[in-house]
Amino acid sequence: MKKPYLTEATIRQAFSFLKKRQEHAKTVKKKDWEAEFENCLKVIEELSARSR
């Protein structure tokens, strides 16, 4: 069996990356980017919560 792509560690890493990108969007004042990153973060949180 191949190594799974989505593990708890990789999901945490992706979440952390998106949080940093959202902070960057705030500093460069890109509200549309900030909203998109917020949406991605909410999706990850919802999917993670449903899987438990």
Side-chain angles (χ1 to χ4, degrees):
M1 177 181 245
K2 291 184 179 180
K3 182 179 173 185
Y5 291 106
L6 290 176
T7 63
E8 188 174 339
T10 58
I11 293 169
R12 286 180 194 266
Q13 184 180 13
F15 194 82
S16 176
F17 172 78
L18 290 171
K19 286 293 266 183
K20 289 177 186 174
R21 295 302 301 163
Q22 184 183 32
E23 290 299 319
H24 175 71
K26 285 181 186 176
T27 57
V28 295
K29 298 179 180 157
K30 298 284 189 174
K31 295 216 182 271
D32 54 334
W33 292 3
E34 187 179 342
E36 286 298 321
F37 288 125
E38 181 65 29
N39 185 44
C40 291
L41 293 168
K42 285 182 182 179
V43 168
I44 292 172
E45 286 176 336
E46 286 294 318
L47 290 173
S48 296
R50 290 180 191 267
S51 70
R52 290 180 184 201

